[in-house]
Amino acid sequence: MITPAGDDIARTEAIIDGIALTRRRMASLHAEEARLLAAAADLAREQAARGDRTHPSSDIPLRSLAAQIAAATRASDRGVQARIGRAWQLTADFPATLRALEAGEVDPAHANVIVEAGMMIADPAVRAAYEEAALEVARREAPGRLRPIVRMLAQRLHPVPLDERHREARTARRLALRDGDDGMAELIAVLPATLAHAILDRLTQVARSVIDARTAGTGDEALFEDETLPGADHAAADTRSLDEVRADALADLLLTGHSSPEASNRSIPQSHAIRAHVQITVPLATLAGETDEPAELAGHGPIAPATARRLAGLASTWTRVQLDPVTQCVVAVDTYRPTAELRRLLEVRDEHCRFPGCRQPATRCDLDHTIAREHDGPTQLGNLAHLCRRHHVLKHHSAWRVRQRPGGVLEWTSPTGRVYPDTPARTVAFAPEPDPPPF
């Protein structure tokens, strides 16, 4: 364990304070630039109103102004024009977010997430309520964690039911091919979120099976029923990354129907079947068809109620999640397999690694005893949390410390003494109002 010396603590604190101050200044500058870009949009509109309206391209003034800015800043005029549009929307429709950015309370990434999720809300009063709630979360969460929370909030406030919008969006599902350099290309699939997440999860499991076997020293040939198959004698030389193995497994499954050693350089055989795993939280009233409140796909955000009902009907097991009516904290989980109840409760409560800002899904994390078992730490709810391998190692081999507070809150203390509370994802989501919002 590395414990920082007194001088190291002072220097570390100075670096952290300096970076935090610099980030606040940068955020303020981003807000200043957004105001200038929005002013450019207003000027372009005024020029368009005074100009020749018979021209087939009514945005010529905007294009011209964007090109001028691009030339002065050595940037792409298309990119500048897109930035002008985003800046105008931020200043016109999300003034509170702009002020928070200007004060350095949030980063540009937070602002982009809030605007992207809230732009679907047309009613100014509803949008203002959304913005206030979103900013409250943004001030304490990383952008990656903020995104699914504000998307769920925006979906709940949207006047058009998600089922209806999802039916229309599904018609845009497609495959696209984009050629690249050096004999490579990108295959892009636009799919319903539940299918896309399940596909990635299955490919990740396949890849981890291959890498785990390699790391354990068994070699992929131990997985092959026939050691004479191509690739079996090269297992020891397999140095592919997780992304590489995932890509190879995808090619196997699409071209041959299963992941095989013949098809793509040492993938696992068909006999090692792996099922995809997704975690979906569905309100009971939605499941019963009494309401159309959106369900939530962990790691993504809202999904259509009809999709959630169909998946629930196909699921082999359900997990009932009981929430505190005030805090929305998970307080209990029960299924037909009570021996695994605690593990399921923690997986639902945490959703992802509990180190501040980390979004690694709980299904790929270690279940860690906050107080180690060798130090008499109990195996119970108040002493367990999911940590990804990176932060699990950091906890045990650095001067970072963590303790659990009521409601599943993990209180992390940095080596220099700074405290960072991490709140379970479920408690920072927003409970639906029993009646329509008063706006």
Side-chain angles (χ1 to χ4, degrees):
M1 182 188 305
I2 301 174
T3 302
D7 182 56
D8 288 347
I9 291 177
R11 292 170 63 189
T12 301
E13 285 289 286
I15 291 171
I16 294 173
D17 286 338
I19 291 175
L21 177 60
T22 301
R23 296 287 295 182
R24 288 194 294 271
R25 289 173 176 170
M26 291 169 62
S28 180
L29 289 172
H30 275 285
E32 182 178 341
E33 183 185 56
R35 292 187 187 278
L36 292 170
L37 290 171
D42 291 336
L43 176 58
R45 286 188 176 88
E46 293 174 10
Q47 292 175 345
R50 296 195 303 265
D52 181 7
R53 297 188 179 185
T54 63
H55 195 282
S57 296
S58 59
D59 64 342
I60 289 298
L62 178 59
R63 291 188 192 182
S64 174
L65 195 52
Q68 295 173 65
I69 297 171
T73 58
R74 298 174 301 281
S76 160
D77 62 309
R78 290 179 181 272
V80 169
Q81 186 170 339
R83 285 164 51 203
I84 289 174
R86 291 193 297 268
W88 187 86
Q89 187 166 42
L90 173 64
T91 57
D93 296 337
F94 297 88
T97 302
L98 179 62
R99 290 193 296 271
L101 183 65
E102 198 166 33
E105 297 173 357
V106 298
D107 283 347
H110 290 103
N112 289 337
V113 169
I114 292 173
V115 172
E116 287 173 5
M119 61 191 300
M120 67 174 67
I121 303 175
D123 188 306
V126 178
R127 189 168 58 240
Y130 154 83
E131 188 179 17
E132 180 181 359
L135 282 170
E136 182 180 347
V137 181
R139 291 185 178 99
R140 65 173 183 266
E141 293 288 355
R145 287 191 177 185
L146 175 68
R147 180 173 286 105
I149 294 171
V150 296
R151 290 180 69 185
M152 178 62 74
L153 177 61
Q155 293 290 354
R156 286 172 173 162
L157 295 175
H158 199 287
V160 180
L162 180 55
D163 269 339
E164 182 178 333
R165 286 180 282 125
H166 180 63
R167 281 195 297 271
E168 181 177 350
R170 280 179 59 90
T171 62
R173 62 191 185 276
R174 63 190 184 277
L175 286 176
L177 182 67
R178 184 164 61 195
D179 289 319
D181 297 326
D182 304 321
M184 301 297 288
E186 294 180 1
L187 180 65
I188 304 166
V190 178
L191 299 167
T194 49
L195 297 182
H197 278 254
I199 290 169
L200 180 63
D201 182 79
R202 185 181 181 194
L203 292 171
T204 300
Q205 291 181 56
V206 170
R208 289 194 183 280
S209 294
V210 174
I211 292 174
D212 287 348
R214 182 179 73 203
T215 304
T218 61
D220 284 355
E221 68 270 21
L223 298 176
F224 299 151
E225 296 177 0
D226 183 356
E227 294 185 359
T228 65
L229 290 174
D233 55 351
H234 301 294
D238 188 358
T239 58
R240 291 176 297 167
S241 67
L242 178 66
D243 281 335
E244 289 178 285
V245 181
R246 268 197 301 221
D248 291 344
L250 174 65
D252 290 356
L253 291 166
L254 292 179
L255 295 175
T256 71
H258 62 86
S259 187
S260 66
E262 303 99 311
S264 71
N265 186 22
R266 305 177 299 280
S267 295
I268 67 173
Q270 183 181 13
S271 58
H272 291 259
I274 295 176
R275 295 174 61 88
H277 174 91
V278 292
Q279 177 182 312
I280 299 173
T281 304
V282 192
L284 183 60
T286 296
L287 200 60
E290 298 174 359
T291 70
D292 281 330
E293 182 186 349
E296 182 177 3
L297 172 64
H300 168 74
I303 62 172
T307 301
R309 294 186 194 106
R310 178 170 53 82
L311 293 174
L314 298 173
S316 57
T317 59
W318 295 2
T319 300
R320 185 177 66 182
V321 182
Q322 299 176 10
L323 307 179
D324 184 289
V326 177
T327 67
Q328 291 296 291
C329 179
V330 177
V331 296
V333 174
D334 63 84
T335 68
Y336 291 110
R337 300 177 181 177
T339 56
E341 178 180 347
L342 184 57
R343 182 177 292 275
R344 284 191 291 268
L345 191 156
L346 288 160
E347 184 175 314
V348 173
R349 183 198 73 178
D350 293 344
E351 290 194 4
H352 45 60
C353 171
R354 293 299 308 284
F355 190 84
C358 184
R359 287 279 298 168
Q360 186 69 238
T363 53
R364 301 176 195 164
C365 292
D366 301 330
L367 195 53
D368 173 68
H369 286 71
T370 303
I371 301 174
R373 294 187 64 180
E374 56 265 33
H375 298 149
D376 298 324
T379 304
Q380 60 186 31
L381 179 64
N383 192 49
L384 292 169
H386 285 89
L387 298 179
C388 69
R389 185 59 55 87
R390 173 187 176 85
H391 294 126
H392 195 174
V393 171
L394 183 70
K395 171 181 176 284
H396 287 285
H397 298 282
S398 75
W400 276 91
R401 293 291 176 266
V402 61
R403 58 178 173 175
Q404 296 217 19
R405 295 298 194 183
V409 175
L410 266 62
E411 186 179 85
W412 288 87
T413 303
S414 76
T416 64
R418 296 197 178 205
V419 177
Y420 301 93
D422 186 76
T423 305
R426 184 60 44 194
T427 64
V428 295
F430 302 89
E433 296 288 342
D435 298 313
F439 40 72

